[in-house]
Amino acid sequence: MPLGEEKNGMCDGSIYVNNPHLDSMQEDILYHFNLGTSTHDLPKMFMDVKFVCVGGSPWRMKAFTEYIAKELGLMDPNAEYPNICAGTDRYAMYKVGPVLCVSHGMGIPSIAIMLHELIKLLYHARCTDVTLVRIGTSGGIGIKPGTVVVTKQSVDAMFQPRHEQIILGKPVMRSTELDGELANDLLQCGKELAEFETIIGNTMCTLDFYEGQARLDGAFCSYSEDDKQHYLAEAYAAGVRNIEMESSVFAAMCKLSNIRAAVVCVTLLDRQKGDQLTSSHEVLNNYQQRPQVLLGHYIKKQLNVSKSS
Ligand code: R2B
Ligand code: URA
């Protein structure tokens, strides 16, 4: 099947799941969330969700929940936000008003499992007009560390905008197209904030942090510094400005289920200058807050919340 031709439903704002088997199941257990359709009233719990923010670390998702609660003036800033998935340590989930925050771990397999269950959760809850944003960290190419990159296209290690999913032993290629208007709106938010540099560029999604990202400091390395620089230069020429490990499957699955989606990652280092993360924890923590601040600004604008509480 040509790239991007899998069915992805109507553009009516509803969540699309393309699985006829789901209809005949008596209940659906979202195992890695410790939630289910017969044990939980998913519409009651989640129907009002309009923004979903996903990121690698559970800790960062909790921090974003507290931040957004304060920014939206929705709740007592000192309130505790319970982890909705407390019964499992696979993923963490928090909700404040229309904002749901979910952690996804590291790498394509981890985020893909989470997204299958998240998409079904939103579907069972009958959510509509949901915007889903991945906020995260990345390695930059030729840009200042701390720059926030809004993804234009997620590309694979051969710089192609596709995600390969093996199904029944055969490769299925899926399009990684993201919502261009949302990406531009997020870029605009970065410009309005003017607190850090925000750019739009292609994001390379790899299967590994070390050899997959042309690092010289893994346990194994069979290439030279020149080989590494050549590869990074090729990536730059293909429009790649940052490298991370989840955007391709994220983009592909959101497209298949009709969800408006974006990827916003801060760069922690310039990979043309090194491989190791030598900046202090303070600096890295400051960088990691930038995608949160940008997304917070976007959500506030969408909800017409004018000032910080
Ligand atoms: C960015 O950072 C993680 C690796 O350190 C990975 O999850 C990613 O995409
Ligand atoms: N995350 C990555 O995947 N790569 C980096 O270089 C930094 C963060």
Side-chain angles (χ1 to χ4, degrees):
M1 191 182 305
L3 199 64
E5 290 208 351
E6 265 176 289
K7 214 169 142 206
N8 69 343
M10 308 279 291
C11 294
D12 62 354
S14 58
I15 309 288
Y16 184 68
V17 292
N18 185 10
N19 180 0
H21 306 288
L22 283 182
D23 296 336
S24 57
M25 283 164 42
Q26 291 223 317
E27 73 167 315
D28 190 5
I29 297 169
L30 308 176
Y31 169 64
H32 303 87
F33 287 160
N34 197 36
L35 296 171
T37 50
S38 29
T39 47
H40 298 81
D41 186 345
L42 298 178
K44 185 162 174 235
M45 290 170 76
F46 298 107
M47 202 181 206
D48 62 336
V49 168
K50 294 293 174 199
F51 303 94
V52 184
C53 171
V54 301
S57 112
W59 183 88
R60 225 188 303 141
M61 286 304 98
K62 185 161 203 251
F64 182 70
T65 308
E66 286 162 0
Y67 173 75
I68 199 75
K70 189 159 164 256
E71 287 295 297
L72 298 180
L74 282 178
M75 282 185 197
D76 175 356
N78 299 317
E80 274 289 311
Y81 297 97
N83 176 5
I84 299 167
C85 299
T88 170
D89 60 3
R90 295 297 186 188
Y91 304 108
M93 182 185 288
Y94 304 94
K95 182 175 180 298
V96 56
V99 184
L100 187 68
C101 303
V102 194
S103 70
H104 59 59
M106 282 192 286
I108 289 173
S110 182
I111 194 174
I113 295 167
M114 190 283 284
L115 286 174
H116 272 284
E117 295 183 13
L118 175 66
I119 290 164
K120 290 196 296 172
L121 181 153
L122 298 171
Y123 170 77
H124 291 311
R126 299 195 291 277
C127 295
T128 55
D129 297 313
V130 173
T131 300
L132 180 38
V133 180
R134 159 164 151 73
I135 56 170
T137 58
S138 61
I141 307 181
I143 54 178
K144 210 169 80 191
T147 303
V148 172
V149 180
V150 179
T151 303
K152 187 175 181 187
Q153 270 193 324
S154 171
V155 299
D156 65 12
M158 285 169 294
F159 319 134
Q160 300 303 311
R162 63 188 179 193
H163 167 66
E164 183 189 76
Q165 176 73 46
I166 308 280
I167 302 175
L168 304 181
K170 296 194 179 66
V172 174
M173 290 296 182
R174 289 176 168 163
S175 162
T176 55
E177 191 186 334
L178 288 158
D179 189 297
E181 196 181 318
L182 176 60
N184 282 328
D185 289 350
L186 288 162
L187 180 68
Q188 177 60 27
C189 287
K191 308 267 176 241
E192 284 167 15
L193 283 166
E195 289 176 22
F196 40 80
E197 261 177 65
T198 306
I199 64 165
I200 194 156
N202 292 346
T203 296
M204 181 160 74
C205 183
T206 65
L207 302 178
D208 162 52
F209 184 83
Y210 288 98
E211 291 167 288
Q213 297 187 5
R215 277 188 155 79
L216 301 170
D217 62 342
F220 316 104
C221 184
S222 56
Y223 42 85
S224 66
E225 164 86 37
D226 277 357
D227 296 335
K228 165 194 159 177
Q229 292 299 345
H230 181 74
Y231 181 64
L232 293 182
E234 273 185 340
Y236 189 91
V240 174
R241 295 295 175 268
N242 66 336
I243 313 174
E244 48 76 91
M245 298 176 58
E246 293 85 15
S247 60
S248 63
V249 74
F250 171 84
M253 291 180 73
C254 290
K255 185 173 164 68
L256 283 179
S257 51
N258 233 350
I259 300 177
R260 183 167 49 240
V263 178
V264 179
C265 289
V266 69
T267 60
L268 301 181
L269 77 172
D270 181 350
R271 290 297 320 290
Q272 290 178 324
K273 300 207 169 115
D275 296 332
Q276 299 240 312
L277 288 145
T278 51
S279 301
S280 67
H281 272 282
E282 210 183 356
V283 168
L284 293 176
N285 268 339
N286 173 285
Y287 288 170
Q288 288 185 33
Q289 280 163 20
R290 294 178 177 186
Q292 299 187 18
V293 172
L294 194 147
L295 180 57
H297 185 71
Y298 174 79
I299 294 175
K300 277 202 293 186
K301 263 177 84 175
Q302 295 301 304
L303 295 174
N304 283 319
V305 177
S306 54
K307 59 179 171 55
S308 282
S309 53

